[in-house]
Short mmCIF file of all heavy atoms in Angstrom, two decimals:
data_model
loop_
_atom_site.label_atom_id
_atom_site.label_comp_id
_atom_site.label_asym_id
_atom_site.label_seq_id
_atom_site.Cartn_x
_atom_site.Cartn_y
_atom_site.Cartn_z
N CYS A 278 9.41 9.35 -3.48
CA CYS A 278 9.78 10.39 -2.51
C CYS A 278 8.88 11.63 -2.79
O CYS A 278 9.18 12.21 -3.82
CB CYS A 278 11.33 10.79 -2.75
SG CYS A 278 12.44 9.34 -2.52
N ILE A 279 7.93 11.89 -1.87
CA ILE A 279 6.96 12.89 -2.18
C ILE A 279 7.42 14.09 -1.48
O ILE A 279 7.59 14.18 -0.16
CB ILE A 279 5.59 12.38 -1.68
CG1 ILE A 279 5.14 11.07 -2.32
CG2 ILE A 279 4.50 13.43 -1.99
CD1 ILE A 279 4.00 10.32 -1.76
N VAL A 280 7.55 15.18 -2.10
CA VAL A 280 8.04 16.52 -1.50
C VAL A 280 6.86 17.42 -1.20
O VAL A 280 6.10 17.74 -2.08
CB VAL A 280 8.92 17.17 -2.45
CG1 VAL A 280 9.59 18.38 -1.75
CG2 VAL A 280 10.12 16.21 -3.03
N HIS A 281 6.84 17.75 -0.01
CA HIS A 281 5.79 18.72 0.53
C HIS A 281 6.30 20.02 0.93
O HIS A 281 7.41 20.10 1.55
CB HIS A 281 4.94 18.16 1.72
CG HIS A 281 3.97 17.07 1.28
ND1 HIS A 281 2.85 17.35 0.50
CD2 HIS A 281 4.02 15.76 1.37
CE1 HIS A 281 2.25 16.30 0.24
NE2 HIS A 281 2.74 15.22 0.62
N GLY A 282 5.57 21.16 0.64
CA GLY A 282 5.97 22.46 0.96
C GLY A 282 5.47 22.94 2.35
O GLY A 282 4.52 22.43 2.86
N GLN A 283 6.23 23.88 2.88
CA GLN A 283 5.97 24.30 4.24
C GLN A 283 4.63 25.05 4.39
O GLN A 283 3.92 24.87 5.27
CB GLN A 283 7.15 25.15 4.77
CG GLN A 283 7.41 26.56 4.02
CD GLN A 283 8.19 27.51 4.75
OE1 GLN A 283 8.68 27.16 5.97
NE2 GLN A 283 8.40 28.62 4.27
N GLY A 284 4.32 25.97 3.45
CA GLY A 284 3.19 26.73 3.49
C GLY A 284 1.88 25.94 3.50
O GLY A 284 0.95 26.10 4.23
N GLY A 285 1.73 24.99 2.40
CA GLY A 285 0.59 24.20 2.21
C GLY A 285 0.39 23.28 3.33
O GLY A 285 -0.78 23.12 3.78
N THR A 286 1.39 22.77 3.86
CA THR A 286 1.35 21.89 5.02
C THR A 286 0.79 22.60 6.29
O THR A 286 -0.21 22.18 6.84
CB THR A 286 2.75 21.22 5.39
OG1 THR A 286 3.21 20.47 4.33
CG2 THR A 286 2.67 20.34 6.59
N LEU A 287 1.30 23.84 6.49
CA LEU A 287 0.90 24.63 7.59
C LEU A 287 -0.63 24.90 7.44
O LEU A 287 -1.42 24.81 8.50
CB LEU A 287 1.73 25.79 7.73
CG LEU A 287 1.43 26.76 8.89
CD1 LEU A 287 1.68 26.09 10.29
CD2 LEU A 287 2.14 28.02 8.83
N LEU A 288 -1.01 25.48 6.39
CA LEU A 288 -2.41 25.85 6.19
C LEU A 288 -3.43 24.76 6.26
O LEU A 288 -4.34 24.84 7.04
CB LEU A 288 -2.65 26.54 4.88
CG LEU A 288 -2.25 28.03 4.71
CD1 LEU A 288 -2.72 28.54 3.41
CD2 LEU A 288 -2.80 28.78 5.84
N GLN A 289 -3.02 23.61 5.72
CA GLN A 289 -3.88 22.49 5.72
C GLN A 289 -4.07 21.81 7.23
O GLN A 289 -5.24 21.60 7.58
CB GLN A 289 -3.37 21.31 4.81
CG GLN A 289 -3.83 21.44 3.39
CD GLN A 289 -5.19 21.01 3.05
OE1 GLN A 289 -6.16 21.33 3.80
NE2 GLN A 289 -5.26 20.18 1.97
N HIS A 290 -2.98 21.81 7.84
CA HIS A 290 -3.06 21.31 9.16
C HIS A 290 -3.74 22.23 10.23
O HIS A 290 -4.56 21.81 11.00
CB HIS A 290 -1.60 20.86 9.72
CG HIS A 290 -1.09 19.75 9.00
ND1 HIS A 290 0.26 19.20 9.16
CD2 HIS A 290 -1.45 18.99 7.93
CE1 HIS A 290 0.43 18.26 8.41
NE2 HIS A 290 -0.62 18.05 7.63
N LEU A 291 -3.44 23.54 10.06
CA LEU A 291 -4.23 24.48 10.84
C LEU A 291 -5.71 24.33 10.60
O LEU A 291 -6.50 24.36 11.52
CB LEU A 291 -3.76 25.84 10.60
CG LEU A 291 -2.33 26.29 11.14
CD1 LEU A 291 -1.94 27.65 10.45
CD2 LEU A 291 -2.48 26.42 12.57
N LYS A 292 -6.08 24.26 9.35
CA LYS A 292 -7.49 24.20 9.07
C LYS A 292 -8.12 22.85 9.58
O LYS A 292 -9.13 23.00 10.34
CB LYS A 292 -7.65 24.10 7.49
CG LYS A 292 -9.10 23.89 7.05
CD LYS A 292 -9.05 23.37 5.54
CE LYS A 292 -8.70 21.87 5.46
NZ LYS A 292 -8.75 21.35 4.06
N GLU A 293 -7.44 21.71 9.35
CA GLU A 293 -7.99 20.50 9.92
C GLU A 293 -7.96 20.34 11.38
O GLU A 293 -8.96 19.86 11.97
CB GLU A 293 -7.27 19.34 9.33
CG GLU A 293 -7.36 19.17 7.77
CD GLU A 293 -6.60 17.99 7.14
OE1 GLU A 293 -5.78 17.28 7.87
OE2 GLU A 293 -6.83 17.73 5.98
N GLN A 294 -6.99 20.89 12.00
CA GLN A 294 -6.87 20.68 13.39
C GLN A 294 -7.79 21.75 14.22
O GLN A 294 -8.44 21.45 15.14
CB GLN A 294 -5.54 20.83 13.87
CG GLN A 294 -4.59 19.66 13.32
CD GLN A 294 -3.12 19.75 13.52
OE1 GLN A 294 -2.60 20.81 13.97
NE2 GLN A 294 -2.36 18.71 13.23
N GLN A 295 -7.67 23.04 13.71
CA GLN A 295 -8.57 23.93 14.52
C GLN A 295 -9.93 23.95 14.13
O GLN A 295 -10.79 24.12 15.11
CB GLN A 295 -7.98 25.35 14.40
CG GLN A 295 -6.64 25.64 14.93
CD GLN A 295 -6.14 27.06 14.90
OE1 GLN A 295 -6.93 27.87 14.65
NE2 GLN A 295 -4.83 27.38 15.03
N LEU A 296 -10.34 23.60 12.92
CA LEU A 296 -11.67 23.72 12.46
C LEU A 296 -12.43 22.32 12.71
O LEU A 296 -13.33 22.15 13.31
CB LEU A 296 -11.88 24.25 11.02
CG LEU A 296 -11.43 25.67 10.85
CD1 LEU A 296 -11.91 26.12 9.49
CD2 LEU A 296 -11.84 26.58 11.94
N ASN A 297 -11.84 21.36 11.96
CA ASN A 297 -12.44 20.03 11.97
C ASN A 297 -12.22 19.27 13.21
O ASN A 297 -13.14 18.61 13.71
CB ASN A 297 -11.94 19.19 10.79
CG ASN A 297 -12.25 19.82 9.43
OD1 ASN A 297 -11.45 20.53 8.96
ND2 ASN A 297 -13.40 19.57 8.93
N GLY A 298 -11.03 19.43 13.89
CA GLY A 298 -10.75 18.73 15.05
C GLY A 298 -10.99 19.59 16.40
O GLY A 298 -10.92 19.09 17.45
N ASP A 299 -11.36 20.97 16.11
CA ASP A 299 -11.72 21.81 17.28
C ASP A 299 -10.59 21.88 18.28
O ASP A 299 -10.73 22.02 19.48
CB ASP A 299 -13.03 21.48 17.83
CG ASP A 299 -13.72 22.66 18.47
OD1 ASP A 299 -13.51 23.80 18.03
OD2 ASP A 299 -14.35 22.48 19.54
N ILE A 300 -9.39 21.85 17.69
CA ILE A 300 -8.11 21.90 18.68
C ILE A 300 -7.82 23.38 19.09
O ILE A 300 -7.92 24.24 18.19
CB ILE A 300 -6.93 21.16 18.03
CG1 ILE A 300 -7.16 19.66 18.06
CG2 ILE A 300 -5.58 21.55 18.83
CD1 ILE A 300 -6.11 18.98 17.16
N ARG A 301 -7.57 23.67 20.28
CA ARG A 301 -7.31 24.92 20.82
C ARG A 301 -6.18 25.01 21.73
O ARG A 301 -5.65 23.97 22.20
CB ARG A 301 -8.66 25.38 21.38
CG ARG A 301 -9.26 24.61 22.30
CD ARG A 301 -10.62 25.01 22.73
NE ARG A 301 -11.64 24.78 21.60
CZ ARG A 301 -12.77 25.41 21.54
NH1 ARG A 301 -13.14 26.21 22.43
NH2 ARG A 301 -13.69 25.03 20.44
N PRO A 302 -5.67 26.28 22.09
CA PRO A 302 -4.48 26.26 22.99
C PRO A 302 -4.91 25.57 24.32
O PRO A 302 -5.94 25.62 24.88
CB PRO A 302 -4.41 27.81 23.23
CG PRO A 302 -5.02 28.51 21.98
CD PRO A 302 -6.03 27.53 21.62
N GLY A 303 -3.84 24.87 24.73
CA GLY A 303 -3.96 24.15 26.00
C GLY A 303 -4.52 22.64 25.80
O GLY A 303 -4.38 21.86 26.75
N ASP A 304 -5.06 22.39 24.68
CA ASP A 304 -5.44 21.04 24.44
C ASP A 304 -4.25 20.06 24.45
O ASP A 304 -3.07 20.44 24.32
CB ASP A 304 -6.10 20.81 23.12
CG ASP A 304 -7.72 21.16 23.18
OD1 ASP A 304 -8.04 21.43 24.23
OD2 ASP A 304 -8.21 21.24 22.13
N ARG A 305 -4.57 18.80 24.74
CA ARG A 305 -3.49 17.74 24.75
C ARG A 305 -3.71 16.72 23.75
O ARG A 305 -4.73 15.86 23.70
CB ARG A 305 -3.35 17.15 26.16
CG ARG A 305 -2.87 18.18 27.15
CD ARG A 305 -2.52 17.63 28.49
NE ARG A 305 -1.79 18.63 29.24
CZ ARG A 305 -1.07 18.46 30.29
NH1 ARG A 305 -0.85 17.12 30.79
NH2 ARG A 305 -0.45 19.36 30.85
N VAL A 306 -2.93 16.72 22.68
CA VAL A 306 -3.24 16.01 21.33
C VAL A 306 -2.32 14.85 21.25
O VAL A 306 -1.13 14.99 21.37
CB VAL A 306 -3.07 16.96 20.21
CG1 VAL A 306 -3.47 16.32 18.83
CG2 VAL A 306 -4.09 18.27 20.39
N PHE A 307 -2.99 13.79 20.96
CA PHE A 307 -2.26 12.46 20.76
C PHE A 307 -2.60 11.83 19.47
O PHE A 307 -3.91 11.86 19.09
CB PHE A 307 -2.60 11.55 21.92
CG PHE A 307 -2.12 10.06 21.71
CD1 PHE A 307 -0.77 9.70 21.99
CD2 PHE A 307 -3.01 9.03 21.39
CE1 PHE A 307 -0.27 8.52 21.85
CE2 PHE A 307 -2.45 7.79 21.30
CZ PHE A 307 -1.19 7.49 21.43
N TRP A 308 -1.63 11.21 18.80
CA TRP A 308 -1.95 10.22 17.76
C TRP A 308 -0.92 9.01 17.85
O TRP A 308 0.20 9.32 17.98
CB TRP A 308 -1.87 10.88 16.34
CG TRP A 308 -2.77 10.10 15.37
CD1 TRP A 308 -2.67 8.82 14.97
CD2 TRP A 308 -4.08 10.58 14.78
NE1 TRP A 308 -3.73 8.51 14.10
CE2 TRP A 308 -4.59 9.59 14.09
CE3 TRP A 308 -4.69 11.71 15.00
CZ2 TRP A 308 -5.84 9.60 13.44
CZ3 TRP A 308 -6.02 11.86 14.32
CH2 TRP A 308 -6.51 10.81 13.53
N PHE A 309 -1.43 7.92 17.94
CA PHE A 309 -0.55 6.72 17.96
C PHE A 309 0.06 6.50 16.56
O PHE A 309 -0.64 6.10 15.58
CB PHE A 309 -1.31 5.48 18.47
CG PHE A 309 -0.37 4.30 18.38
CD1 PHE A 309 0.66 4.17 19.31
CD2 PHE A 309 -0.57 3.26 17.40
CE1 PHE A 309 1.58 3.10 19.31
CE2 PHE A 309 0.30 2.15 17.41
CZ PHE A 309 1.41 2.16 18.37
N THR A 310 1.33 6.83 16.46
CA THR A 310 1.97 6.74 15.11
C THR A 310 3.55 6.63 15.33
O THR A 310 4.03 6.69 16.36
CB THR A 310 1.78 8.07 14.39
OG1 THR A 310 2.33 8.08 13.08
CG2 THR A 310 2.30 9.28 15.16
N THR A 311 4.16 6.13 14.30
CA THR A 311 5.54 6.05 14.19
C THR A 311 6.01 7.25 13.40
O THR A 311 5.12 7.99 12.82
CB THR A 311 6.09 4.79 13.68
OG1 THR A 311 5.82 4.82 12.27
CG2 THR A 311 5.51 3.58 14.21
#
């Protein structure tokens, strides 16, 4: 059971999505996942 914090999750995902993934407002983002 791996516990993740809210701040680290938010910063990492913002970094990866906005910078590496170039995601921006209005984009339509999909990942096939459960």
Side-chain angles (χ1 to χ4, degrees):
C278 304
I279 305 169
V280 185
H281 282 289
Q283 62 161 4
T286 300
L287 179 65
L288 276 190
Q289 277 281 46
H290 291 180
L291 285 170
K292 176 201 73 175
E293 292 181 350
Q294 293 173 355
Q295 291 190 19
L296 301 192
N297 300 91
D299 207 32
I300 291 170
R301 50 194 72 199
D304 274 355
R305 296 195 163 194
V306 180
F307 169 79
W308 207 290
F309 176 69
T310 180
T311 71

